[in-house]
């Protein structure tokens, strides 16, 4: 898959989910937007989990470790470049390595991810609303 095909397939989803790694808790409006985007992509919970673990977390976790990371906002263009570069290389041993260490790279955003999945399951009628 080339860079443009990757952006076309995942770009909207990646940018919608990026706020899970900001230094503020996502608002209900943020979660609502994320759910709408996820619904448009018609992904299973299993597929979403692996997108979170392998496609997003390795790139986003690096920003968390950076002293100079930007935590109020992301530059969408720069973020997309980093995500595309990572995902174009995500084959073979790299994919297996990130899968192995995905618990570490998702740790800081896991509580937000879990909230998002709850919102999604409510939207899909898989959980009663609270």
């Amino acid at each position: 898959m080339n860079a443009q095909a990757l952006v076309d397939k995942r770009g909207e989803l990646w940018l919608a989910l990026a706020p899970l790694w900001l230094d503020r808790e996502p608002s209900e409006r943020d979660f609502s937007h994320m759910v709408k985007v996820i619904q448009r992509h018609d992904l299973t919970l299993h597929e979403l989990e692996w997108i979170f673990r392998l496609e997003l977390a390795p790139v986003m976790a690096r920003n968390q470790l950076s002293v100079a990371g930007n935590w109020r906002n992301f530059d969408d263009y720069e973020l997309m470049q980093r995500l595309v570069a990572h995902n174009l290389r995500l084959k073979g041993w790299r994919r297996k390595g990130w899968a192995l260490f995905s618990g570490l790279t998702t740790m800081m955003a896991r509580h937000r991810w879990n909230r998002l999945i709850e919102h999604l399951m409510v939207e899909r009628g898989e959980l009663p609303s609270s």
Side-chain angles (χ1 to χ4, degrees):
M1 185 175 302
N2 67 32
Q4 187 58 54
L6 202 48
V7 169
D8 293 344
K9 182 177 180 179
R10 290 283 201 255
E12 177 191 32
L13 182 64
W14 289 339
L15 291 179
L17 298 177
L20 294 171
W21 280 272
L22 291 174
D23 72 344
R24 61 172 175 75
E25 289 300 315
S27 67
E28 289 303 312
R29 185 175 172 204
D30 293 328
F31 282 120
S32 178
H33 173 69
M34 290 180 216
V35 167
K36 285 177 187 171
V37 172
I38 290 169
Q39 292 289 72
R40 281 197 296 272
H41 287 265
D42 194 32
L43 297 163
T44 67
L45 295 179
H46 181 77
E47 290 168 325
L48 281 169
E49 178 67 28
W50 285 105
I51 290 168
F52 174 65
R53 287 175 167 229
L54 297 180
E55 295 179 17
L56 282 165
V59 173
M60 306 307 285
R62 287 182 196 139
N63 199 57
Q64 289 174 322
L65 299 174
S66 169
V67 175
N70 183 1
W71 290 111
R72 290 279 165 216
N73 238 324
F74 290 115
D75 174 330
D76 289 350
Y77 182 77
E78 179 188 332
L79 179 59
M80 190 61 66
Q81 284 183 313
R82 290 179 20 228
L83 287 164
V84 167
H86 164 75
N87 281 280
L88 286 174
R89 292 187 309 264
L90 194 57
K91 295 173 179 69
W93 66 269
R94 280 192 169 113
R95 185 174 195 81
K96 290 175 186 169
W98 284 120
L100 180 64
F101 291 105
S102 64
L104 293 172
T105 59
T106 60
M107 185 172 41
M108 301 278 292
R110 179 57 68 179
H111 68 287
R112 294 171 179 170
W113 178 256
N114 291 341
R115 272 190 67 203
L116 172 61
I117 295 304
E118 285 177 20
H119 280 57
L120 179 62
M121 291 176 74
V122 168
E123 178 69 25
R124 291 180 174 179
E126 297 172 17
L127 271 182
S129 59
S130 48

